């Protein structure tokens, strides 16, 4: 397995000029392993689609390079790149049948009629479109159109499969089942894939690795677990999952990767991957809502007032006011716990292993 | 990295990409060459010639516009005619469009067909019919004389009448699209908030359609200014630019003065075109997508219905009267003398006009498919490809739309009656000069409808094709063209109609060897052989209608591709 099968090197894309200049992709460096499903995740306008389109060849990088399997393709037109793309709206050819759509690329590459038939039928079987090959795309459901689009890309056996928010036009239920199907196919074929989405749940469930992007820049690269448990900054922590941020100060560095924090007078020992925090530095303590426990108020503990209660069946969400700042707490399986009511004072304890420190930054709300 | 550096790098990047697609690169170069040679160069020649008096560069022609009567009078007349026709034509067009989109008028399809019929007929047949009706020996002349006294159909009044009939349909089509695109919910909301019908109209409908009205006005103004056939037949002593330019060149052989008149004709139409394209269209509130919106409340008070319906019925009646007169006139033994019905005009018309007819059919049939394909390919390049000079390509390809036929015709004889750097052969007198003129003159409409169609289609469909390995030309052929087939075929229909009915430009480039049916009709009119002229005009209209029918059949046959548009639109 090649470690750097797809490489983006100092990739920059600038659109427009003068006042309307937009830096869509700002110095992006990535290495995607062979056979890996790699997701570009970020809010809309973060540059993920532009990055994907530079891999496909639809945009020319302003600077930087793209390598696929060791060969530079930065200036290769899209029709000569070993990539195929699944488009957000599927982009099926409306005047062709399902079979014609899927076999289009093979025909362009002048494969023999026999080969075209064989490969197309095989892929139609693989994505479960049997019996629909003579239909027009207009007469397919959204999910079926999506599979035609996927099949049309897969049949080319591309070195890199590109997927641009392929599930965003499906309804919620279908999205969940389709993403599992895409993952199964991808793993079965062992095809290197780059997946663009703004849906963090999709990214988490599908990906081998995820890169979080914001304003054209890479924020963090890692496995879904790494990114959820150890986000590197406020943006990542806030974007992935729900998070509470408590302002605090580093009191002392206990050991190489453990620090003692002061949060409104109370001390916490916290693991940190980064040992770059210095004593006295202002930081954020990141607490996920599910890693907080509530008890009836005890003296000499951290406590707050319940301001709001939201019952969600499997979970109970409390909004607690603690030292004048809000704290969201999620209690799973609420039937097994004491239910607090609005206005009640509660003691708050944190599960220390899930605490995480990130650098402090001014938050614009 | 500095800004200029970046710009240069991007240009180099684009160039390198184009270089990797040599076929695309060559196509772009070829198209630029054609546009330069067959659009820009002739117009340049007209400018150049207008500035040359006895082989000297001389601007006195221009300075003389207000002092020399032979310049000033036609200029003034053309402007007056253009303004009057545009104003009346737009009013009628608006009333028609309003009646068809906002009322419960019966037989809407019938009214729409009649209102647009003059578009497919040769421009001068309305004038011909006017002469048959109201001319010196006109059928209705005695009645009209007893009512309004002595009058002459030749002159400004007659011209406004025939041009209004000929060009109201243009205004109607623009405004029909606009009114259809205005969401009736806005009018309903206004009414719901307490506005009366009149208030709804004055505060919602009218303001929203103002850009459309301006657009329609300017388009009719351009058509009226550029009209050659009608004034040639009916202007009498009322001198207009297009006819004067023609007479100067073909009658007096004064190329310089003729060119100058052509330039004076060009300037107002170009101004109107730019106003329409860059100013009015930007003010537009509605996008015409071709998709009609839902129904509106169509219960109207009688005082709105009565005048609107009257206007519709009246205009439709006039259209019927004019074209009916053509039919009636074509069967008369000797116009104004012997009203016995006969078929001899058709026989004579065939004997004299057979060659003209064959030439017209041959040249139009050759020019039409090239016009259609080229138009779609240009639209594809303009909308979908990035290359240096793309804006210029769009501009030049649209330019012919605003350039009066007279100017183009003069430009063609100036540009191609000798060898030049751009074109190493003399074209004058050949079939090619007529074919190229027809192609480049009728292409803009195809380009425009192609652009509109492409903008409706998600670019990712074409990207998908490229992504799967097809180059730009293959993508155009296999993906784009089938998807914009409706625009392609309407472009074909348009260019065939225009090729068959063209007169203003082609009259300069016809020759003994290659002549056209429209020129033959004008010849009959010139000899006061009105019955034969009417017969030939009818035949021409019939051919055009048959051709349109065939194209419609083809469109229905490939209906699969047509419906395909629905899912992407």
């Amino acid at each position: 397995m090649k470690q750097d099968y797809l490489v983006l090197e100092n990739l920059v894309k600038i659109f427009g000029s003068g006042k309307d200049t937009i830096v869509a992709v700002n110095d992006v460096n990535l290495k995607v392993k062979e056979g890996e499903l790699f997701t570009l995740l970020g809010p809309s306008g973060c540059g993920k689609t532009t990055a994907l389109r530079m891999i496909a060849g639809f945009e020319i990088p302003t600077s930087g390079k793209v390598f696929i399997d060791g060969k530079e393709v930065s200036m290769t037109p899209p029709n000569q790149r070993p990539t195929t793309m699944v488009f957000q709206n599927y982009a099926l050819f409306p005047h062709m049948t399902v079979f014609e759509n899927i076999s289009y690329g093979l025909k362009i590459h002048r494969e023999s009629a026999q080969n075209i038939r064989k490969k197309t039928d095989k892929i139609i079987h693989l994505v479960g479109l049997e019996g629909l090959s003579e239909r027009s795309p207009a007469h397919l459901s959204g999910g079926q159109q999506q599979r035609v689009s996927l099949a049309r890309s897969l049949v080319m056996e591309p070195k890199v499969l590109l997927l641009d928010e392929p599930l965003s036009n499906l309804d919620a239920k279908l999205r969940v089942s389709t993403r599992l199907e895409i993952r199964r196919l991808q793993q079965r074929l062992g095809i290197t894939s780059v997946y663009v989405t703004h849906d963090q749940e999709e990214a988490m469930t599908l990906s081998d690795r995820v890169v979080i992007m914001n304003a054209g820049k890479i924020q963090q690269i890692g496995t879904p677990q790494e990114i959820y448990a150890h986000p590197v900054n406020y943006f990542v922590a806030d974007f992935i999952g729900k998070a509470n941020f408590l302002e605090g100060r580093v009191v002392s560095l206990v050991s190489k990767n453990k620090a003692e924090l002061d949060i409104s007078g109370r001390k916490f020992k916290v693991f940190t991957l980064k040992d770059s925090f210095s004593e006295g530095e202002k930081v954020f303590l990141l607490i996920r809502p599910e890693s907080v426990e509530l008890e009836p108020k005890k003296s000499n503990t951290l406590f707050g007032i319940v301001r709001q209660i939201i019952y969600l069946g499997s979970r109970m969400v409390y909004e607690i006011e603690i030292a004048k700042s809000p704290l969201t707490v999620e209690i799973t399986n609420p039937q097994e716990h004491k239910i607090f009511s609005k206005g009640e004072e509660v003691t708050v304890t944190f599960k220390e292993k899930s605490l995480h420190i990130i650098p402090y930054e001014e938050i614009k709300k | 990295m500095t800004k200029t550096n970046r710009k240069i790098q991007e240009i180099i990047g684009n160039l390198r990409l184009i270089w990797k697609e040599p076929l695309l690169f060559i196509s772009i170069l070829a198209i630029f060459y054609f546009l330069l040679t067959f659009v820009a160069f002739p117009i340049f020649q007209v400018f150049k010639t207008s500035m040359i008096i006895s082989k000297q560069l001389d601007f006195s022609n221009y300075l003389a516009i207000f002092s020399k009567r032979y310049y000033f009078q036609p200029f003034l007349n053309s402007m007056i005619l253009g303004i009057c026709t545009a104003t009346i034509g737009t009013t009628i067009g608006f009333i028609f469009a309003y009646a068809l989109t906002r009322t419960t008028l019966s037989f809407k399809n019938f009214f729409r067909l009649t209102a647009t019929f003059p578009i497919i007929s040769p421009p001068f047949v309305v004038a011909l019919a006017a002469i048959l009706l109201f001319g010196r020996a006109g059928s209705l002349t005695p009645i009209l004389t007893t009512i309004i006294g002595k009058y002459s159909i030749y002159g400004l009044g007659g011209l406004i009448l025939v041009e209004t009939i000929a060009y109201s349909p243009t205004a109607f089509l623009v405004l029909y699209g606009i009114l259809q695109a205005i969401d009736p919910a806005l009018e309903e909301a206004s009414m719901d908030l307490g506005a009366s019908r009149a208030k709804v109209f004055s505060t919602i409908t009218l303001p929203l359609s103002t850009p459309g009205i301006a657009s329609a006005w300017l388009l009719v103004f351009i058509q009226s200014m550029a009209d050659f056939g009608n004034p040639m037949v009916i202007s009498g002593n009322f001198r207009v630019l297009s006819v004067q330019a023609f007479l100067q060149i073909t009658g007096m052989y004064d190329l310089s003065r003729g060119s100058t008149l052509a330039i004076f004709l060009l300037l107002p139409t170009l101004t109107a075109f730019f106003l329409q394209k860059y100013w009015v269209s930007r003010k537009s509130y509605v996008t015409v997508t071709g998709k009609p919106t839902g129904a509106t409340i169509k219960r109207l008070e009688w005082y709105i219905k009565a005048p609107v319906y009257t206007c519709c019925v009246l205009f439709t009646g006039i259209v019927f009267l004019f074209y009916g007169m053509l039919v009636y006139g074509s069967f008369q033994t000797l116009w104004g003398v012997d009203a016995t019905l006969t078929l001899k005009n058709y026989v004579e018309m065939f004997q004299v006009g057979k060659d003209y007819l064959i030439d017209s059919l041959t040249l139009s049939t050759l020019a039409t498919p090239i016009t259609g394909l080229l138009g779609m390919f240009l639209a594809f390049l303009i909308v979908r490809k990035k290359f240096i000079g793309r804006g210029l390509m769009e501009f030049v390809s649209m330019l012919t739309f605003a350039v009066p036929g007279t100017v183009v015709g003069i430009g063609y004889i100036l540009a191609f009656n000798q060898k030049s750097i751009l074109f190493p052969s003399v074209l004058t007198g050949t079939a090619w000069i007529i074919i190229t003129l027809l192609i480049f003159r009728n292409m803009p409409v195809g380009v425009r409808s192609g652009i509109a169609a492409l903008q409706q289609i998600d670019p990712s469909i074409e990207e998908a094709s490229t992504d799967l390995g097809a180059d730009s030309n293959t993508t155009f052929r296999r993906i784009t063209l089938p998807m914009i087939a409706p625009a392609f075929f309407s472009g074909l229909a348009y260019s065939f109609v225009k090729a068959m009915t063209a007169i203003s430009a082609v009259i300069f480039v016809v020759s003994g060897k290659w002549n056209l049916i429209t020129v033959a009709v004008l010849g009959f009119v010139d000899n006061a052989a009105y019955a034969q002229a009417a017969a030939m005009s009818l035949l021409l209209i019939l051919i055009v209608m048959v051709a349109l029918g065939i194209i419609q059949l083809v469109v229905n046959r490939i209906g699969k591709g047509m419906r395909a548009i629905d899912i992407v639109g």
Side-chain angles (χ1 to χ4, degrees), chain A residues 19 46 62 82 113 132 147 149 152 177 183 272 362 365:
Chain A
K19 263 190 198 165
C46 74
T62 305
L132 298 175
R147 274 181 279 166
S149 176
R152 187 175 68 179
S177 62
R183 180 58 163 162
T272 165
E362 287 295 332
K365 287 264 159 107

Side-chain angles (χ1 to χ4, degrees), chain B residues 300-320:
Chain B
L300 283 182
E301 290 76 3
W302 64 269
Y303 58 84
I304 297 172
K305 270 188 200 170
V308 167
Y309 288 9
T310 309
C311 174
C312 289
V313 171
L314 208 64
F315 185 78
T316 313
I318 290 175
V319 170
F320 261 90

Side-chain angles (χ1 to χ4, degrees), chain B residues 99-424:
Chain B
L100 288 180
T101 56
R102 294 289 189 276
T103 71
T104 50
L105 185 70
S106 320
F107 308 115
K108 279 191 179 163
N109 280 332
F110 164 77
F111 278 106
R112 188 168 56 224
L113 268 177
T114 322
T116 48
F117 188 73
I119 284 186
I120 66 156
S121 80
F124 47 79
V125 298
V126 189
L128 177 60
I131 290 176
L132 295 178
L133 280 165
F134 305 112
R136 285 179 197 111
S139 301
L140 295 182
T141 308
I143 305 169
L144 202 61
T145 312
T146 53
I147 301 170
I148 62 166
K150 215 168 139 39
Y151 73 93
S152 169
I153 193 71
Y154 299 91
L156 179 62
L159 261 178
I160 291 177
L161 174 71
V162 299
E163 289 197 348
T164 302
I165 295 170
Y167 302 127
S168 300
T170 308
F172 163 72
L173 285 180
V174 172
L175 292 165
Y176 185 71
I178 296 283
L179 283 180
Q180 223 178 16
I182 294 175
D183 188 349
L186 298 175
E187 286 159 327
E188 284 169 358
S190 155
M191 198 166 244
D192 190 50
L193 294 167
S196 65
R197 182 59 71 173
K199 265 268 174 291
V200 171
F201 182 79
S202 65
T203 59
I204 307 293
T205 317
L206 198 59
L208 284 178
S209 45
T210 303
I213 292 172
S215 210
W217 194 95
L218 291 166
L219 288 177
V220 177
F221 175 78
I222 292 175
Q223 288 192 317
S224 167
M225 285 285 289
D227 189 13
F228 171 79
N230 288 310
M232 192 67 190
V233 173
I234 211 175
S235 64
N237 290 326
F238 186 78
R239 294 167 175 213
V240 298
L241 287 167
S242 57
V243 174
Q244 291 309 310
F246 172 72
L247 294 177
Q248 284 296 336
I249 287 186
T250 57
M252 316 284 183
Y253 300 105
D254 191 337
L255 290 176
S256 172
R257 196 180 282 184
S259 298
T260 310
L261 284 161
I263 297 296
F264 290 152
L265 178 58
L266 177 64
L267 297 179
T269 55
L270 267 190
T271 311
F273 174 70
F274 283 117
L275 279 178
Q276 198 268 333
K277 188 163 165 46
Y278 295 104
W279 182 63
V280 176
S281 57
R282 208 171 298 163
K283 298 240 174 237
S284 183
Y285 305 100
V286 288
T287 1
V288 180
T289 56
K291 277 184 188 162
T293 42
T296 174
I297 320 161
K298 283 171 176 161
R299 245 179 337 101
L300 283 182
E301 290 76 3
W302 64 269
Y303 58 84
I304 297 172
K305 270 188 200 170
V308 167
Y309 288 9
T310 309
C311 174
C312 289
V313 171
L314 208 64
F315 185 78
T316 313
I318 290 175
V319 170
F320 261 90
L321 180 67
F322 272 62
Y323 286 92
M325 195 59 210
L326 222 52
V327 179
Y328 175 64
S330 72
F331 290 109
Q332 295 216 342
T333 307
L334 188 61
W335 181 252
V337 179
D338 184 355
T340 327
L341 297 184
T342 173
L343 279 175
K344 85 171 169 52
N345 296 320
Y346 284 87
V347 178
E348 265 175 38
M349 175 268 289
F350 254 117
Q351 284 164 348
V352 180
K354 196 179 82 219
D355 292 341
Y356 294 84
L357 185 61
I358 292 171
D359 283 0
S360 260
L361 278 174
T362 313
L363 298 177
S364 301
T365 311
L366 283 172
T368 300
I370 306 175
T371 315
L373 278 174
L374 199 60
M376 292 305 116
F377 191 61
L378 262 166
F380 171 68
L381 291 180
I382 289 166
V383 178
R384 296 287 200 249
K385 293 289 149 193
K386 290 180 207 156
F387 53 90
I388 309 159
R390 186 176 58 162
L392 186 73
M393 182 181 281
E394 184 183 8
F395 175 79
V396 177
S397 67
M398 290 294 160
L399 195 61
T400 41
F401 193 75
V403 180
T406 308
V407 182
V408 178
I410 295 174
Y412 266 58
I413 50 170
L414 293 174
F416 303 117
N417 62 0
Q418 62 207 1
K419 292 176 188 177
S420 65
I421 318 164
L422 284 170
F423 204 80

Side-chain angles (χ1 to χ4, degrees), chain A residues 14 16 53 58-60 62 75 77 79 83-85 87 89 91 93-96 104-105 108-109 138 152 156, chain B residues 6 9 13-14 16-17 20 386 458 460-461 463-471 474 478-479 482-483 564 567:
Chain A
I14 303 175
R53 289 173 62 83
F58 293 123
E59 304 288 351
I60 313 162
T62 305
M75 283 295 163
N79 52 329
T83 59
T84 56
M85 183 137 142
F87 291 84
N89 56 1
F93 308 130
H95 55 300
M96 297 182 187
Y104 179 83
I108 293 292
H109 284 91
R152 187 175 68 179
M156 298 308 295
Chain B
R6 187 155 65 68
Q9 282 219 331
N14 279 327
R16 281 176 66 180
L17 267 191
K20 296 221 165 139
K386 290 180 207 156
D458 195 312
S460 62
I461 294 178
E463 281 174 3
S465 163
T466 319
D467 192 51
L468 294 166
D471 61 21
T474 312
R478 300 185 68 148
I479 305 298
M483 282 196 302
I567 70 158

Side-chain angles (χ1 to χ4, degrees), chain A residues 160-223:
Chain A
V160 181
L161 177 70
L162 307 172
L163 302 108
D164 184 10
E165 309 221 12
L167 303 180
S168 61
N169 283 344
L170 299 178
D171 63 60
K173 266 214 169 118
L174 202 53
R175 212 177 302 159
V176 173
S177 62
T178 312
R179 78 182 175 215
L180 291 175
E181 205 176 317
I182 288 181
R183 180 58 163 162
R184 253 199 312 272
L185 267 174
Q186 184 267 336
Q187 284 181 321
R188 185 165 150 197
L189 300 171
I191 189 163
T192 314
S193 308
V194 180
Y195 192 104
V196 159
T197 182
H198 64 265
D199 182 333
Q200 45 149 319
E201 194 183 305
E202 207 170 292
M204 295 303 222
T205 47
L206 269 174
S207 322
D208 292 308
R209 281 193 303 155
V210 178
V211 54
I212 311 280
M213 289 183 67
N214 185 35
K217 282 193 165 160
I218 289 182
Q219 303 292 315
Q220 188 170 4
I221 304 176
T223 64

Side-chain angles (χ1 to χ4, degrees), chain A residues 239-309:
Chain A
F239 189 74
I240 299 290
K242 293 185 198 122
N244 295 299
F245 299 95
L246 296 185
E247 248 179 79
R249 204 170 284 282
V250 178
V251 182
S252 62
L253 297 165
V254 182
S255 64
K256 201 179 158 202
N257 47 13
K258 206 169 188 186
E260 192 177 35
L261 291 193
D262 178 318
I263 310 278
S264 51
R266 307 208 68 85
K267 303 271 192 297
F268 294 91
K269 289 213 173 80
V270 180
F271 286 99
T272 165
L273 278 183
K274 273 181 105 174
D275 49 4
S276 56
F277 296 107
S278 48
E279 287 182 11
E281 188 183 338
K282 214 170 164 187
V283 292
F284 274 134
L285 179 63
L286 165 69
I287 307 150
R288 298 286 182 191
E290 68 274 14
S291 39
V292 184
E293 278 175 357
L294 300 179
E295 292 166 276
K297 189 189 166 188
K298 291 179 195 155
S299 55
N300 210 19
T301 54
L302 187 65
F303 62 89
I305 302 168
V306 177
R307 287 292 178 210
Q308 203 177 358
I309 308 160

